[in-house]
Amino acid sequence: AQTVTQSQPEMSVQEAETVTLSCTYDTSESDYYLFWYKQPPSRQMILVIRQEAYKQQNATENRFSVNFQKAAKSFSLKISDSQLGDAAMYFCAFLSNFGNEKLTFGTGTRLTIIP
Amino acid sequence: DADVTQTPRNRITKTGKRIMLECSQTKGHDRMYWYRQDPGLGLRLIYYSFDVKDINKGEISDGYSVSRQAQAKFSLSLESAIPNQTALYFCATSDRGSESYNEQFFGPGTRLTVL
């Protein structure tokens, strides 16, 4: 079974600065997907960014980028130029490319933006 | 209009009551999921369905049942609610036939309180 670990329950960053959220995972599979989801106070789950394990290039989406280290099983999220609207819970998630395709989530990191 | 809707959005019920949470989607996706979110635990999969005739248990299915009435509708039932089922419940969908089949789209969530 896969596990996803987010070791930072809470993080804070000054507005306009850069912050990195950590995520590690454990799996014996070689083909999978990794995701970062954002959950603002509205509680809606919003996909921030996705990484395919077979791609060596790190995914980027505007101010959001990842550092994917497959051998280390690490998948961190970097938020550049932090904005007040980035304040939310962030969840890292793993999806196997085999079997039931269920998402396995980490326990989340609460990000606070300091004005 | 939202692509994935959940009703009710909030519900308070008493121990022993039967309750149904409903999920509808207009995305035309074949796969639907029910997750539960508890503070500090992330989201965990309760049940998932790959089509109307294919329903599978997730990691925490005890105490729950589901019904896939149509491709667009997936209901979650608590036959006899208990207080430790107090949580935020999410429905999600995905489409195996699309380019982004590995992405799951979430509904707005149902906050359930069992007294």
Side-chain angles (χ1 to χ4, degrees), chain A residues 38-53:
Chain A
K38 169 184 178 181
Q39 186 180 41
S42 67
R43 77 192 190 198
Q44 178 73 47
M45 294 292 288
I46 303 165
L47 179 65
V48 174
I49 199 165
R50 168 179 47 216
Q51 175 78 42
E52 290 89 342

Side-chain angles (χ1 to χ4, degrees), chain A residues 37-70:
Chain A
Y37 278 89
K38 169 184 178 181
Q39 186 180 41
S42 67
R43 77 192 190 198
Q44 178 73 47
M45 294 292 288
I46 303 165
L47 179 65
V48 174
I49 199 165
R50 168 179 47 216
Q51 175 78 42
E52 290 89 342
Y54 65 86
K55 291 186 177 179
Q56 293 186 346
Q57 185 174 8
N58 289 324
T60 62
E61 288 287 343
N62 300 314
R63 297 182 295 106
F64 299 87
S65 62
V66 299
N67 183 4
F68 174 48
Q69 302 289 328
K70 190 173 184 179

Side-chain angles (χ1 to χ4, degrees), chain B residues 15-34:
Chain B
T15 297
K17 294 291 188 180
R18 183 180 188 274
I19 185 167
M20 178 181 288
L21 309 184
E22 299 185 337
C23 176
S24 296
Q25 52 115 347
T26 59
K27 301 182 77 66
H29 288 176
D30 53 352
R31 299 172 173 218
M32 299 187 74
Y33 310 80
W34 275 105

Side-chain angles (χ1 to χ4, degrees), chain A residues 33 35 37 39 42-47 50 52 89 91 95 97 99-108, chain B residues 9-10 31 33 35 37 40 42-43 45 48 50 59 88 90 96 100-104 106-109 111:
Chain A
Y33 302 87
F35 304 85
Y37 278 89
Q39 186 180 41
S42 67
R43 77 192 190 198
Q44 178 73 47
M45 294 292 288
I46 303 165
L47 179 65
R50 168 179 47 216
E52 290 89 342
M89 283 288 289
F91 292 96
L95 178 67
N97 200 26
N100 63 27
E101 298 179 13
K102 78 175 186 72
L103 280 170
T104 300
F105 285 86
T107 52
Chain B
R9 294 293 310 278
N10 297 281
R31 299 172 173 218
Y33 310 80
Y35 290 90
Q37 182 179 13
L43 279 74
L45 184 66
Y48 60 102
F50 285 173
E59 59 183 299
L88 184 56
F90 283 99
R96 182 68 177 176
S100 62
Y101 76 92
N102 51 72
E103 179 177 351
Q104 293 186 15
F106 286 81
R111 183 167 297 283

